[in-house]
Amino acid sequence: MDTDEFRRCGTDMVNYVADYFDTLRSRPVMPYVQHGFLKKLIPEKAPHKAESYEDVKKDLEDVVLKGVLHWRSPHFHAFVPLASSFPALIADMLVGALSSMPITWSANPSGTELEVAMMDWLGQMLKLPEEFLFSSGGKGGGVIQMTADDSATVAIIAARARAVREHGDMTPGQTLDKLVAYTSAEAHTCIKKAAQLALVNIRLLPTDENFSLRGQTLAAAIKEDKNKGFIPFFLGASVGTTSTIAVDNLCELGKICEQENVWMHIDAAYAGSAAICPEFRYLINGVEYSTSFCLNPHKWLHVNLLCSAMWIKDRELITEPFNVDPVYLRNHNLNGDVKMPDYRHWTIQLSRPFTSLKLWFVLRMYGVQQLQERIRKDVKLAKQFEALVRNDHRFEIVAQVVLGVVCFKLKGKNNDVNEELLKRINDDRRIYLTPSTSKGVFYLRFCIAVYTTDSKDVSFAWNIVQEQTDVLLGLHVNGIDEKTKKIDKVDATECFQ
Ligand SMILES: Cc1ncc(COP(=O)(O)O)c(C=O)c1O
């Protein structure tokens, strides 16, 4: 493919993508496929002779799109948002084209310095304490990790290295055996997985009635463990758990971590982005106590995968244990009056894309104002869904709705019935929801996951929930219910076009 051919095919693909977005509302969100469907549709071996762009494109709808769950559909209400936006997609094309990696400063000077600038821009938008920003001239700074799992793993490995260093009276192996990390029973698995990978003990602590981890629980656990000879060294605190978007009490926890020399890492993967709105900034109050903090622009800040922003108060805590310095990675030019980071010392992997370019396009083309408005719009839609749930006496809300996720269940019904309801809703395939459990209770989660979801889509989804509930609870009486539906409910087919 030469540049002329690339121009022709690239333009065609941009049009295809635009058409995809234009028709997304009318596509069933869930694919109608079964395990092994693709095997029957593609050859067993790679083609020996080159095929044309047209040959490949011909199979997009019939092979690939056939089995795609449409995460960008306005009827997708699962998990937490996964960002994608046209400015980020455009920038992504350039990221791929440049293929220039900010691993050392000289490997991509613009990539390194734009990452420094974007992490400071974003940090300022969140009103992070100055010490997290490069612009403070202090020890802190930010880095783009691939995922929140990576951020948590980097944090725990760095915290482990610090603990081993501080306990020089023991061998690293002896210290490792005694280290204990904490997180809440509600936290995302990224914290537990990080501890597993770092080969350290971890305790999942119980939460209060709002699914929030409180200071006294942590203090009691630390006391108990110290009495047994363990060394508490790390807390994975959550701002917005995946299940209920619960927020741990960072101020209470932070004070204890400070006293006990415990590294507090905050996982704010989804909810942290809301802190760019002044009215939601309180969610990260207490961030000043943390050693490291992470949120994912690839969730709620319109940068498509992969982009997890991580800040640390003292960057040497990461760059020392992660440092490898072979001759082939040496910087070419160290002149200049400001010392810039070599990001290869901040991450697990070496190769890393020029992701700051995507942040740069998104932050400039939306501006802080539009990004705030988008968050507010999603929260408002979640509130709309919450009101619909609260108006139906058969349901109950499981957790306080603060941001864009509503956790709900059939009141007085056991886990099996609620699971059956979810199955029916998803089997219908017009919307897609995912569940969770907290304290042994199974519930459904409705997430405003996609920016194009509007108020009509929320009503549409609620109608489907009600329809399936009617059937499940055996209340569906033909005629009478149909009549009620016509009066009370938005016409589902109208939305599904
Ligand atoms: C609270 C929270 N933390 C961490 C993660 C994991 O994010 P990532 O896929 O970037 O590792 C998620 C994913 O949904 C999440 O909701």
Side-chain angles (χ1 to χ4, degrees), residues 112-128:
T112 302
E113 300 205 11
L114 197 60
E115 187 160 339
V116 166
M118 291 307 98
M119 292 305 293
D120 271 8
W121 279 17
L122 199 48
Q124 286 157 11
M125 285 162 62
L126 296 159
K127 301 214 175 343
L128 287 186

Side-chain angles (χ1 to χ4, degrees), residues 249-310:
N249 193 318
L250 301 182
C251 290
E252 287 179 6
L253 298 168
K255 283 177 193 152
I256 295 161
C257 289
E258 209 168 61
Q259 277 161 24
E260 300 285 348
N261 190 29
V262 165
W263 178 310
M264 179 162 87
H265 172 74
I266 299 177
D267 173 28
Y270 157 67
S273 298
I276 67 164
C277 303
E279 68 273 30
F280 294 123
R281 172 59 177 74
Y282 76 93
L283 292 169
I284 61 167
N285 283 353
V287 63
E288 59 274 18
Y289 294 105
S290 69
T291 314
S292 53
F293 173 81
C294 141
L295 68 79
N296 283 359
H298 75 218
K299 294 207 186 303
W300 216 5
L301 281 181
H302 305 282
V303 180
N304 58 329
L305 290 167
L306 295 162
C307 182
S308 177
M310 179 189 192

Side-chain angles (χ1 to χ4, degrees), residues 80 147-149 188 190 240-242 267 269 296 298-299:
V80 292
T147 66
D149 277 69
H188 186 267
C190 65
T241 59
T242 314
D267 173 28
N296 283 359
H298 75 218
K299 294 207 186 303

Side-chain angles (χ1 to χ4, degrees), residues 142-153:
V143 56
I144 300 177
Q145 303 284 359
M146 305 293 244
T147 66
D149 277 69
D150 286 355
S151 297
T153 306

